[in-house]
Structure formats: structure tokens, C-alpha cells
Amino acid sequence: MFITVLQVSTRRVLYHSCCKLTKKSKHLVQMARPSSDMAAFREIFAKAKHIAILTGAGVSAESGVPTFRGAGGFWRKWQAQDLAAPEAFSRNPSRVWEFYHYRREVMLTKNPNPAHLAIAECEARLSKQGRTVVVITQNIDELHTRAGSKNVFEIHGSLFKTRCINCGNVKENYRSPICPALEGRGAPDPDAVDVQIPVEHLPRCEEKGCNGLLRPNVVWFGETLDSDILSQVEKQLDVCDLCLVVGTSSIVYPAALFAPQAAARGVPVAEFNMGTTTATDSFKFHFQGPCGQTLPPALARHESEIIS
């Protein structure tokens, strides 16, 4: 069973995708085997005018960011899907805030790695040539932005934004700790116990007259993606002439549909990952290994590029 981040929007994207995936195109996509020919990829890269780069947890893992997915991916005795859910927040907002406080504090110690930097450098360089690079990321750590990328779509939100459950106000928040009661809290080891912080001492909205409880402005399991961001992402995918899939397991929907949908309409898709995924065989290229090693040479300046 696939892990689904959302329900309504997933159906919309799935329907949109299936309309494009005719029986003929499905057959053609599935018959192709991915190539690891970097020279062939570089030739396509040199001609691409609009590049869409889809990134997942594998990119940030190389910066030392915990993924909380798969064997051993626990915070205390829970996996992310046990805590990243509206029901979990309703039941125990203190525990969920401890989890996110821990993640925020960890992220403040991490830096962009060569993969993040290569993407940002590529975007800046190609923009001078009238070409575009957009990043569509499932990550909530803002490492792409910190690396210098400008055209970033954070489809699952950000660790460093909060949303008031009362008035709905969304605001950037880089405080450390985010509130006094969470200082020193959030230890991830299994023996750590919940501190049961009173709800009135958890992060609160500072809008005049509100004081509502804040939550991380991230998309939790069972919630829908922001429809405006999703529409913008779909527009980017409709016009891209090269798509890269970087460090993603391709199991979280709707993001798992994005690259196969592009491949189905004939767009070359290159996957950069530690291993193969269920979507690998639908792509033109597959480059196995750490993204920080495989991506920089793939996105480096091509000899045919003219830079003023």
C-alpha cells in the first residue's frame, strides 16, 4: 500500500495523469530501460530550456538530516506518520511539537550539500542564458533556499513556518527554541518520555487578539496540498522539456506521479538516486549513487553553453 499525503488532490492529479497515460504511451514508457550514459544526458541537458527538478528526502539525507522513513527511522518509538497527522496533533499537541522542535533544532545545525549547491548554481547560470530551472521539493527543511535556489516550490510546506489553527495566519519563525517551554526538549532516544507541556505554553499566535495555538505549516498525512502551489507545479511540469528526479523514493503521492506523467508525454526524465524505485523503468536515465556525487557533474556547465 502506498503512503498517501492527501486524498482529494491526489485523485485530481491521478485523473489528470491517467488522461495522458494512454495504453500506447504506457506501453512505450514501460518498454524503455533507463540508461546511465552521462554523455547522452549532458547532450539533452545542453539543449533544455525549462528544467524541472523534483527532490525528496534523499537529497537532505546527505546533509545529515534524519529521514524518518524505513527501518530505524524512529523518533522515540514513533515513525513520522504516527506524528505527522492532524489526529496526532489533536490528541497530543505537546508530543507533536516536541518532535517538530527536535527537527527544527537539528536543521539549524545542517548545511546544504553539493547536490543542493549544484542545483542552485545551475539555476543561476542558466537564467543568464534565458533558460529556467525550477525545484519542486517534498522536503520541508529549506536547504534548497539556503543553497541559493530561487524558483522553489515546497509542496509539503516548511519547518520554519507556523500556522495558527484559530485565525489561519502563516508566518516565518526561526526562533530557537520556538517557545520557552520547548527549550531542551525533543530528545529522540527511545527512553525519553513526553513532558506533557500544557497547551497554553506551546507556541501561540501573536496576531492581535488571537493567541491561538500554532502548528507547523507542513502538510500532514491525510491533508491536502495547497491548491495554488499544486496548480503552479502542474504548469511547470506541463512546459518542462527535461525532468530530474533526485533523492526520492517515489512512493508519496501526488509527487510520485509527477515524473512518470512527464515521461508519458515524451519528456526525458533522469533519476539520481541511491537505488531503483518502482518508477525507475519509466525514465530515460538512471544514475545510481549519492546525489552529492552524481548531480554536480550532470549539471555542470556544458561546453556548448555561452555565458556573457
Side-chain angles (χ1 to χ4, degrees), residues 26-278:
K26 279 184 182 179
H27 176 72
L28 291 174
V29 169
Q30 291 172 355
M31 287 297 291
R33 300 293 297 179
S35 166
S36 58
D37 186 340
M38 182 62 76
F41 168 80
R42 294 277 291 162
E43 287 298 316
I44 294 173
F45 167 74
K47 299 173 184 176
K49 300 295 185 183
H50 188 103
I51 302 171
I53 303 179
L54 314 176
T55 71
V59 176
S60 295
E62 293 181 35
S63 290
V65 179
T67 63
F68 296 104
R69 186 178 298 286
F74 286 83
W75 178 84
R76 296 182 184 169
K77 63 181 180 180
W78 296 280
Q79 288 191 300
Q81 55 265 38
D82 299 323
L83 300 168
E87 298 82 7
F89 191 70
S90 295
R91 287 194 305 267
N92 197 327
S94 174
R95 177 188 297 157
V96 172
W97 259 120
E98 275 201 87
F99 174 59
Y100 279 95
H101 171 68
Y102 166 74
R103 297 181 71 179
R104 284 166 56 93
E105 295 298 300
V106 166
M107 279 314 310
L108 291 174
T109 71
K110 305 302 180 183
N111 295 303
N113 64 54
H116 295 107
L117 297 172
I119 292 170
E121 190 280 331
C122 179
E123 178 191 328
R125 188 181 78 245
L126 266 55
S127 68
K128 298 175 183 177
Q129 304 169 32
R131 303 160 67 191
T132 60
V133 174
V134 298
V135 177
I136 301 164
T137 187
Q138 300 173 75
N139 299 334
I140 59 175
D141 51 41
E142 296 193 2
L143 285 178
H144 283 298
T145 301
R146 287 172 54 191
S149 291
K150 305 297 183 185
N151 300 321
V152 181
F153 296 91
E154 296 172 320
I155 63 173
H156 291 167
S158 168
L159 277 174
F160 298 101
K161 291 184 177 70
T162 58
R163 183 167 82 247
C164 177
I165 66 172
N166 183 32
C167 71
N169 183 56
V170 174
K171 190 174 182 179
E172 290 185 341
N173 190 314
Y174 296 92
R175 292 177 185 168
S176 175
I178 190 170
C179 69
L182 282 166
E183 184 170 9
R185 305 301 186 183
D189 46 291
D191 295 331
V193 296
D194 292 353
V195 293
Q196 294 301 322
I197 299 169
V199 68
E200 62 269 20
H201 294 159
L202 291 173
R204 312 296 299 193
C205 182
E206 296 180 352
E207 290 296 294
K208 187 176 181 179
C210 183
N211 197 42
L213 178 64
L214 297 179
R215 55 161 283 179
N217 189 45
V218 297
V219 179
W220 282 333
F221 292 99
E223 295 184 325
T224 59
L225 270 68
D226 184 295
S227 59
D228 291 336
I229 292 178
L230 191 57
S231 294
Q232 293 177 64
V233 165
E234 289 177 340
K235 289 177 182 177
Q236 297 295 334
L237 292 170
D238 283 343
V239 300
C240 76
D241 53 5
L242 176 61
C243 179
L244 277 61
V245 180
V246 184
T248 174
S249 59
S250 295
I251 65 171
V252 178
Y253 281 72
L257 292 170
F258 293 161
Q261 177 179 317
R265 68 177 181 86
V267 175
V269 178
E271 183 181 49
F272 296 79
N273 220 339
M274 287 297 294
T276 59
T277 68
T278 55

